[in-house]
Amino acid sequence: MEKIRYAVIGTGNRGRQLIKAALQSGQVEIAAIADSHPQSLRLGAEMAGGAKTFSDYRQMLEWGKFDAVVIAAPNDLHEQMLEDALRCDVHILCEKPLGNSLAAIDRMLEKLRGFRKVFQIGMELRHHPMYRQLKEAVRSGQIGPVRMMWCKEFRVPFRDGVDNWRRSRERTGGSLLEKNCHHFDLFNWIADSRPVKVSAFGGNRGADDGMADHAWVNVEYENRIRASLGLALFLPHSRLELGLVGDDGTAVCTSPDEKLTIRSRKGDRRYDYGHLDDSPFDHGGELEQHLAFVERIRTGRPSEVTLESIRDAHLICVAAEKSMRTGETVDLSKGVFAE
């Protein structure tokens, strides 16, 4: 079976992680890469082997000898790059978030509604076997009906990125949109419900640049499940914990040790997915998201991550950023709100 030919836009750290995982899948060939930053392009070329290189992604799109475009550039560039890629009529894998504002995200979602090729957002944790097992534990009733969810990501600071783009609220859309979009996606997926209220408190301990380095976010769902996320971006080490409280017990995922522990009246279970220190990737689910993308290209299978679920994950982040600035609870049930 012929490999799927990728054209990758953006070969900074995130783009190189995607290239590494794509190649390890054995299902993908990197046909071309593009980056306007010479060092990133050079590092990407070293990893991608014989891929054709471009300093302007638009020239790569015009070249056209590929099956799918992967967008891994800074957040504020996603909208234009995605719009340009849509004209190529090829499959698209775009890193989250779709854009750096809700307005930009909504514009792109509207364009994607008529897209006939495969589109997949880079929510790699959806494909992580640990979180898929967590979802199965909920589906099979191992901890009873879920009432509460939490996530605590206490970690090292962001990588700066080229020209310090990750330090810019304007370019990223804020720390929560840059970092926690996929954690809120997991909340939404597990709750199987729409978010209706968001409140948040947070800020920066030093810089007055609009980029929070700590926050607590609360979310309430239509089905009355409540969720809370805590973020700290100033530690010398990193740890992530995502857990559920049900009527009959708890289920907790931890990283970087990649373990799921279920404690329930129906019995305890433990699953070990290895340690990220022993993995070639920054996150679990990296390899699996490419395998899912390739399978969808070959079979036409629809994505379980719908356009509506993509918007809801982004919406919580934008609402939380507003709540941090205003001190108000944001009511999502009222529809459109000013960012």
Side-chain angles (χ1 to χ4, degrees):
M1 187 176 294
E2 291 187 2
K3 293 182 178 181
I4 303 299
R5 290 167 56 83
Y6 277 10
V8 181
I9 304 175
T11 54
N13 183 75
R14 187 69 197 126
R16 295 195 299 274
Q17 282 282 311
L18 290 167
I19 289 171
K20 185 192 300 183
L23 291 174
Q24 187 161 317
S25 76
Q27 304 294 311
V28 171
E29 173 189 345
I30 309 300
I33 60 173
D35 200 298
S36 60
H37 188 262
Q39 183 179 1
S40 295
L41 188 62
R42 177 181 61 79
L43 292 172
E46 290 174 0
M47 182 170 287
K52 192 172 179 63
T53 60
F54 296 84
S55 58
D56 187 331
Y57 79 90
R58 290 164 295 191
Q59 293 178 355
M60 181 177 72
L61 296 182
E62 290 175 2
W63 176 67
K65 297 178 182 179
F66 47 82
D67 306 304
V69 171
V70 176
I71 299 172
N75 303 355
D76 60 322
L77 304 179
H78 287 186
E79 181 179 9
Q80 186 60 60
M81 290 175 172
L82 183 54
E83 188 169 340
D84 291 339
L86 286 171
R87 298 193 192 100
C88 295
D89 196 32
V90 295
H91 310 290
I92 300 172
L93 172 62
C94 181
E95 259 300 294
K96 60 83 188 162
L98 278 185
N100 61 339
S101 69
L102 189 60
I105 291 160
D106 280 344
R107 286 193 294 268
M108 296 321 301
L109 288 173
E110 187 59 33
K111 293 180 187 301
L112 285 165
R113 293 190 194 285
F115 187 52
R116 296 186 179 277
K117 296 286 186 175
V118 172
F119 173 78
Q120 186 166 302
I121 185 119
M123 300 284 197
E124 73 274 0
L125 295 185
R126 275 275 195 131
H127 305 281
H128 190 331
M130 178 170 66
Y131 293 112
R132 297 192 74 81
Q133 183 63 52
L134 179 68
K135 174 70 172 178
E136 174 58 25
V138 173
R139 188 202 65 77
S140 61
Q142 291 181 41
I143 61 171
V146 174
R147 305 298 179 185
M148 302 169 66
M149 305 183 288
W150 78 89
C151 178
K152 295 187 292 185
E153 185 171 27
F154 300 156
R155 54 160 286 165
V156 299
F158 287 146
R159 294 184 177 96
D160 292 338
V162 174
D163 297 327
N164 289 325
W165 74 266
R166 284 196 180 89
R167 304 286 182 178
S168 165
R169 187 182 187 283
E170 182 179 357
R171 299 200 67 186
T172 62
S175 299
L176 296 168
L177 191 59
E178 162 60 18
K179 187 67 201 74
N180 300 112
C181 185
H182 48 73
H183 299 124
F184 291 120
D185 176 61
L186 291 177
F187 279 170
N188 297 343
W189 184 41
I190 292 164
D192 195 23
S193 183
R194 302 292 302 280
V196 292
K197 290 183 180 179
V198 176
S199 64
F201 297 92
N204 194 297
R205 298 161 306 127
D208 185 22
D209 57 6
M211 290 292 287
D213 69 359
H214 66 282
W216 284 106
V217 181
N218 296 306
V219 185
E220 183 170 85
Y221 288 86
E222 286 179 345
N223 61 6
R224 309 296 285 178
I225 290 176
R226 276 90 180 195
S228 182
L229 178 141
L231 175 67
L233 286 166
F234 49 80
L235 296 175
H237 56 270
S238 296
R239 182 169 176 80
L240 175 71
E241 178 180 294
L242 189 145
L244 316 177
V245 178
D247 285 353
D248 297 323
T250 61
V252 182
C253 294
T254 57
S255 185
D257 53 337
E258 307 301 285
K259 291 182 179 179
L260 166 60
T261 302
I262 299 172
R263 302 191 66 183
S264 169
R265 294 188 181 96
K266 301 174 183 178
D268 295 352
R269 300 185 184 186
R270 291 178 175 82
Y271 303 87
D272 190 339
Y273 297 90
H275 201 289
L276 281 182
D277 287 350
D278 301 320
S279 168
F281 307 121
D282 287 345
H283 312 99
E286 297 278 22
L287 174 62
E288 290 83 359
Q289 77 166 331
H290 289 286
L291 293 173
F293 184 51
V294 169
E295 182 191 7
R296 291 184 60 211
I297 290 171
R298 288 178 171 156
T299 67
R301 178 178 59 83
S303 174
E304 62 188 27
V305 187
T306 64
L307 296 184
E308 182 180 78
S309 67
I310 291 172
R311 187 179 193 273
D312 281 347
H314 289 70
L315 182 61
I316 293 173
C317 299
V318 176
E321 293 280 351
K322 178 177 182 179
S323 182
M324 283 195 293
R325 293 194 304 273
T326 65
E328 300 174 356
T329 296
V330 179
D331 188 346
L332 303 181
S333 65
K334 294 181 179 179
V336 177
F337 66 92
E339 294 184 48

